[in-house]
Amino acid sequence: MDGADQELVEVLDDQGAVVATVSRQEMRERNLRHRSVLVAVVNDADEILVHKRASWKDVWPDRWDVAVGGVVAPGEAWAAAAAREMVEETGAVAELGYLGEDSYDDDEVRVLARIYHARTPGPFSFDDGEIVDAVWVPITQLREWLADKSVCPDSMALVLPRLDAP
């Protein structure tokens, strides 16, 4: 078991109230509802940074994703978590715009997520290894580009409908 498995995660009830704190491993094994942040990274040409997740990720390895992000730490403010995830995954600091909050539930993940966007051209560094490939895709062509790829369903459901908002 690695250190990430032992990270603590707040478990939420259906109304979004914290009801317990468990290890990340237990949260994944039992598919417990938790807080998560998603950040769509766009540039001034209205392209979105689409990236491929590493094969070692604990959920949806080797899939393409339209947002960087992750699990919110216990007691961590939503916006602080989004900014932290942006830096950890891309090496970039950018002003974040808030796009909304929503839930996503399936057989692998149950989250209450806050969705943000960051407008920046980079530069990016993927030093933590979570991202193994990244490309800029025009937002108007995104669905077509993703059509034949394995993708992360949470960001598809929560981010794509909000891409016209920034």
Side-chain angles (χ1 to χ4, degrees), residues 45-161:
D46 286 328
E47 297 170 317
I48 185 166
L49 185 70
V50 181
H51 68 274
K52 190 170 187 182
R53 296 165 59 87
S55 60
W56 54 263
K57 294 294 291 176
D58 63 352
V59 67
W60 301 319
D62 297 316
R63 291 197 189 184
W64 288 91
D65 203 348
V66 298
V68 298
V71 176
V72 179
E76 187 176 26
W78 289 97
R84 174 182 54 76
E85 289 287 348
M86 177 80 181
V87 171
E88 285 178 7
E89 293 190 18
T90 70
V93 175
E95 185 176 330
L96 300 177
Y98 179 67
L99 296 179
E101 178 178 296
D102 207 344
S103 294
Y104 177 83
D105 297 337
D106 70 15
D107 291 340
E108 296 177 280
V109 170
R110 296 182 65 222
V111 298
L112 176 63
R114 287 208 179 159
I115 303 97
Y116 297 85
H117 77 278
R119 188 169 291 275
T120 179
F124 303 109
S125 61
F126 306 116
D127 296 338
D128 74 354
E130 291 188 36
I131 295 174
V132 297
D133 195 7
V135 295
W136 288 110
V137 177
I139 292 173
T140 58
Q141 298 171 19
L142 183 59
R143 288 184 192 275
E144 180 181 340
W145 191 89
L146 292 169
D148 64 346
K149 295 171 180 61
S150 180
V151 298
C152 295
D154 63 338
S155 57
M156 295 293 287
L158 301 176
V159 176
L160 283 187

Side-chain angles (χ1 to χ4, degrees), residues 1-73:
M1 187 177 322
D2 67 20
D5 287 337
Q6 292 308 303
E7 289 176 11
L8 295 179
V9 178
E10 293 172 334
V11 177
L12 308 177
D13 65 16
D14 289 339
Q15 288 71 47
V18 176
V19 295
T21 302
V22 300
S23 70
R24 182 183 184 108
Q25 179 182 14
E26 181 177 352
M27 176 268 293
R28 290 288 185 223
E29 287 173 353
R30 296 177 52 204
N31 193 15
L32 300 171
R33 181 180 305 279
H34 60 283
R35 295 189 303 148
S36 182
V37 291
L38 301 167
V39 182
V41 180
V42 297
N43 64 22
D44 288 337
D46 286 328
E47 297 170 317
I48 185 166
L49 185 70
V50 181
H51 68 274
K52 190 170 187 182
R53 296 165 59 87
S55 60
W56 54 263
K57 294 294 291 176
D58 63 352
V59 67
W60 301 319
D62 297 316
R63 291 197 189 184
W64 288 91
D65 203 348
V66 298
V68 298
V71 176
V72 179

